[in-house]
Amino acid sequence: MPGNDVVHSPDLADRIAVSSLLRQWFGALVGVLLGSLTAIAALLFSVAAVLALTLARILGRWGTPLRRAVDESTLALSELEIRRITRFHGTVHTDAATPRRCRWYLGMRWSLGLLGIGVVLLLMLCLVVAGSMISAWILNGSWGLIENSDRVDGGLVAVAAVPGILLIFVAAVGVAGVGSLDRWFVIQVLGRQSDRLLHQRVAELTSSRDHVVDAIDDERRRIERDLHDGVQQQLIALGMLIGRARRADEPDKVHELLAQAQATSQGAISELREVANRVYPIALDKDGLRAAVETMAERASVPVRLTYELTERLRPAVEAVLYFVISEAVTNAAKHAFPKLLEVNVTHQKFDRALATITDDGPGGADPSGTGLSGLARRVAAVDGTLTVHSPDGGPTVVMASVPCG
């Protein structure tokens, strides 16, 4: 006897399937209702964002905090929408979010919100009409509680039932359709379709490979230049001093040359330590990004105000990229812009990304296609990050590096 076999009844399986379908439908209904409310809020926010960005453009450098607040609010609202859609309509895989794409998404969602409101109102109207007719027919035929003048003809109810059921079915299917349309729209604007994901990822990896090769080549050339112009020249001078000391006859001259040789050797050691620190700081490996950036800020030739909000350490490759972006941006600003103050902000961005923002109060006009900034862009792209530079004439110059935390 198959005493341990479990026999599932077909009726039980059907009931489970129907129950699951009903749960999914009610979840879609809740998602559509919430989406209709958030669509109205998104439309109002989009109008306010356009006005705020216009005002920030008029204010110039003084409008940077306003522009930053609009971008952060845009990303927050978009993340809220993605969570709602994932919770009620299905999982969504998104690209790296940018404020511009998110603003476009929020500004266009109002049409889906109106469609959702229309479908829900149609469903409610059909249910109310059907309920009123059925209740009137029951009171008429079963209990006789309605006067003769108000009696409802059973044939009329039967004739109206067929189109009424069809309308209710169409409205119910429309709820699920609006939820699917909502998910499709966010995938088109902020996410990735499964058929596009492979092609886009292959293109990204090919580009990243090229960026990695370029970044390694740039780094190799920089290290070679630092060694040739710094350490090598001091070692040559050290060898010449030692050679002169060996050929000198007077003890005082020998002592003087050896003292110069010792000072030159100390300078070479310091220069070599600086080169090694630029290759990979010891503090970054030992104590993390925050300690390395704080040390760099203390050594900078201009005042640096640091705000660090990350609570957990990132993976080493990401920390190294952020450190070099901050270090190079601070060095370039101090060399070319002569700012009175540099602000460095390291924060947690939406969609599990880290954002480093370097702002200087210099005259602006930085060229993103220049050697230094383009090299930073390649380094950031090597870890699937993005580098943006905003440097209008008159300043300020804002360099932002967004990289994935994982």
Side-chain angles (χ1 to χ4, degrees):
M1 294 178 61
N4 294 330
D5 292 341
V6 179
V7 179
H8 295 285
S9 170
D11 294 337
L12 178 59
D14 292 341
R15 287 196 297 270
I16 294 175
V18 172
S19 176
S20 176
L21 183 62
L22 287 175
R23 284 197 302 270
Q24 293 179 3
W25 184 85
F26 278 109
L29 177 62
V30 174
V32 169
L33 288 173
L34 292 176
S36 300
L37 297 177
T38 58
I40 298 174
L43 178 60
L44 296 177
F45 171 79
S46 298
V47 175
V50 171
L51 296 177
L53 291 176
T54 303
L55 178 60
R57 190 175 295 108
I58 295 174
L59 294 176
R61 61 186 301 178
W62 304 108
T64 300
L66 180 60
R67 187 184 303 108
R68 188 179 303 165
V70 171
D71 291 345
E72 291 177 353
S73 301
T74 302
L75 293 174
L77 288 177
S78 299
E79 184 185 25
L80 183 64
E81 286 297 313
I82 291 175
R83 288 183 178 179
R84 175 187 63 81
I85 293 172
T86 301
R87 171 64 178 82
F88 296 107
H89 303 310
T91 304
V92 174
H93 299 285
T94 61
D95 287 325
T98 60
R100 184 175 182 179
R101 293 174 63 191
C102 290
R103 282 197 299 269
W104 194 89
Y105 168 72
L106 294 175
M108 296 298 294
R109 271 214 67 246
W110 63 270
S111 56
L112 292 177
L114 292 180
L115 182 61
I117 292 175
V119 170
V120 173
L121 289 179
L122 176 61
L123 179 62
M124 293 177 60
L125 178 62
C126 291
L127 292 176
V128 169
V129 172
S132 62
M133 294 187 67
I134 293 175
S135 61
W137 178 63
I138 291 176
L139 292 176
N140 173 33
S142 300
W143 298 324
L145 299 178
I146 301 179
E147 299 295 337
N148 291 332
S149 59
D150 297 330
R151 289 184 181 275
V152 179
D153 189 0
L156 178 62
V157 173
V159 171
V162 175
I165 292 174
L166 290 177
L167 284 176
I168 292 175
F169 176 77
V170 169
V173 173
V175 170
V178 171
S180 299
L181 185 61
D182 202 2
R183 181 175 178 270
W184 173 85
F185 183 67
V186 74
I187 289 175
Q188 291 296 318
V189 181
L190 300 179
R192 300 177 178 180
Q193 290 180 325
S194 57
D195 58 345
R196 293 188 310 173
L197 180 60
L198 179 60
H199 298 286
Q200 187 170 0
R201 189 56 181 166
V202 169
E204 288 178 353
L205 291 176
T206 302
S207 177
S208 297
R209 181 195 61 189
D210 296 337
H211 288 312
V212 168
V213 172
D214 292 339
I216 293 175
D217 187 63
D218 292 342
E219 187 67 17
R220 180 185 62 80
R221 292 176 182 274
R222 186 180 65 84
I223 295 173
E224 182 182 8
R225 185 173 58 251
D226 290 343
L227 292 176
H228 180 273
D229 297 341
V231 179
Q232 180 177 333
Q233 299 300 321
Q234 291 189 352
L235 291 178
I236 292 175
L238 176 61
M240 293 176 63
L241 289 172
I242 294 176
R244 290 175 58 189
R246 292 180 61 183
R247 292 191 299 270
D249 296 330
E250 300 178 4
D252 294 339
K253 187 63 175 180
V254 173
H255 179 75
E256 179 184 355
L257 291 173
L258 290 178
Q260 293 179 12
Q262 183 180 12
T264 303
S265 66
Q266 294 296 328
I269 293 173
S270 299
E271 183 70 23
L272 187 59
R273 186 180 294 114
E274 289 294 327
V275 172
N277 189 68
R278 287 193 293 268
V279 173
Y280 195 89
I282 298 178
L284 184 64
D285 190 32
K286 181 180 179 181
D287 301 320
L289 179 61
R290 180 168 192 164
V293 174
E294 288 177 347
T295 303
M296 182 273 302
E298 293 175 355
R299 296 178 179 178
S301 59
V302 295
V304 177
R305 183 164 60 197
L306 174 63
T307 302
Y308 193 94
E309 298 180 359
L310 299 183
T311 57
E312 298 180 357
R313 288 199 60 176
L314 307 175
R315 59 191 178 99
V318 174
E319 286 191 338
V321 167
L322 288 180
Y323 173 80
F324 284 110
V325 168
I326 296 172
S327 177
E328 290 297 322
V330 170
T331 301
N332 291 339
K335 184 184 299 183
H336 302 292
F338 306 104
K340 297 180 181 177
L341 177 66
L342 274 166
E343 294 186 10
V344 177
N345 299 307
V346 183
T347 60
H348 188 272
Q349 200 179 18
K350 304 300 180 181
F351 308 102
D352 195 28
R353 298 178 71 85
L355 177 66
T357 305
I358 304 93
T359 307
D360 69 67
D361 55 3
D367 183 10
S369 61
T371 304
L373 291 177
S374 61
L376 290 181
R378 287 194 296 269
R379 185 187 288 269
V380 173
V383 292
D384 288 337
T386 57
L387 182 80
T388 57
V389 180
H390 182 74
S391 183
D393 291 335
T397 297
V398 182
V399 179
M400 291 185 295
S402 175
V403 296
C405 294

